[in-house]
């Protein structure tokens, strides 16, 4: 049960208002595929499913993974919940990647996201800025950072909320 704290961050659910902000700023469209890295109890996945997305959740803690699966069951083939370590999975094909993890995990994810995501994919981080990347959109109040692959090295283009 202590493992998650060392490999990405301990469980703490995202608040409903922050989830809403993250999904709005991601500009998630029905039919797009969203990955939540460290899916916890699945509440974020459900919010994305209710907006018509397909989702893939990755969760390392077996108890949270089980709860997450139960929560997503009613969405059938639009939801996939993987028990495992996000660093061992390929994120290719994701339109949106979301996470609420430790700063160390966000730092570690940077090169993986850079390598595996396609241009135009959005990376939405709850509270953890990605070092060296410039966000395209920010919700300063809720500390939500959105990066668009292909734009994240640009000097200008910051939109506040
Ligand atoms: C702060 S919680 C966020 C839960 C959910 N995304 C939300 O926003 O409500 C972080 C979750 O990431 C999981 N986690 C930590 N490291 C992980 C890893 N390397 N691979 C998969 N899951 C991980 C933890 O078990 C925990 O449930």
């Amino acid at each position: 049960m202590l493992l998650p704290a060392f490999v990405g961050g301990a469980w703490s659910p995202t608040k409903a208002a922050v989830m809403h902000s993250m999904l709005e700023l991601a500009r998630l469209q029905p039919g797009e595929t969203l990955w939540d890295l460290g899916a916890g109890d699945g509440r974020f996945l459900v919010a994305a499913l209710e907006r018509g997305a397909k989702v893939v959740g990755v969760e390392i803690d077996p108890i949270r993974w089980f709860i997450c699966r139960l929560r997503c069951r009613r969405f059938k083939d639009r939801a996939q919940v993987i028990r495992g370590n996000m660093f061992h999975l390929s994120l290719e094909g994701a339109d949106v990647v979301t996470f609420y993890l430790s700063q160390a995990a966000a730092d570690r994810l940077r090169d993986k996201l850079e390598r595996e995501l396609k241009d135009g994919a959005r990376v939405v981080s709850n509270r953890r800025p990605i070092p060296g990347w410039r966000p395209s959109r920010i919700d300063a109040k809720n500390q939500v950072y959105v990066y668009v692959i292909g734009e994240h090295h640009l000097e200008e283009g910051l939109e506040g909320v």
Side-chain angles (χ1 to χ4, degrees):
M1 290 306 108
L2 288 176
L3 178 68
F6 295 103
V7 291
W11 185 65
S12 167
T14 298
K15 293 192 181 106
V18 180
M19 272 192 311
H20 177 76
S21 172
M22 290 173 77
L23 292 169
E24 280 297 304
L25 288 180
R27 299 182 182 161
L28 180 68
Q29 302 299 314
E32 286 192 317
T33 300
L34 176 145
W35 282 64
D36 191 28
L37 304 181
D41 65 2
R43 67 186 64 200
F44 199 94
L45 296 180
V46 169
L49 285 159
E50 286 173 347
R51 289 171 178 242
K54 297 178 202 153
V55 303
V56 184
V58 189
E59 178 51 54
I60 204 163
D61 174 338
I63 295 176
R64 306 259 177 247
W65 167 80
F66 183 72
I67 297 168
C68 188
R69 266 184 67 126
L70 281 183
R71 266 198 147 144
C72 292
R73 204 168 45 172
R74 69 191 158 103
F75 296 94
K76 301 201 172 83
D77 53 352
R78 279 201 291 129
Q80 188 187 354
V81 183
I82 300 169
R83 182 181 161 197
N85 186 333
M86 62 194 167
F87 290 108
H88 299 163
L89 295 167
S90 167
L91 306 174
E92 277 167 30
D95 297 298
V96 175
V97 172
T98 59
F99 58 83
Y100 177 22
L101 296 163
S102 64
Q103 187 61 55
D107 297 357
R108 205 178 147 201
L109 273 174
R110 187 179 71 163
D111 290 350
K112 178 174 175 60
L113 295 166
E114 180 97 54
R115 253 193 334 269
E116 296 177 4
L117 294 182
K118 62 191 174 193
D119 276 358
R122 287 85 77 203
V123 176
V124 186
S125 169
N126 181 358
R127 300 180 74 167
R128 313 293 181 216
I130 299 182
W133 283 18
R134 176 169 285 271
S136 295
R137 300 184 278 282
I138 289 181
D139 171 353
K141 179 167 166 259
N142 291 310
Q143 291 181 269
V144 171
Y145 305 90
V146 180
Y147 305 89
V148 180
I149 300 296
E151 290 178 14
H152 58 296
H153 292 307
L154 295 181
E155 292 294 315
E156 73 272 19
L158 189 60
E159 288 173 36
V161 204

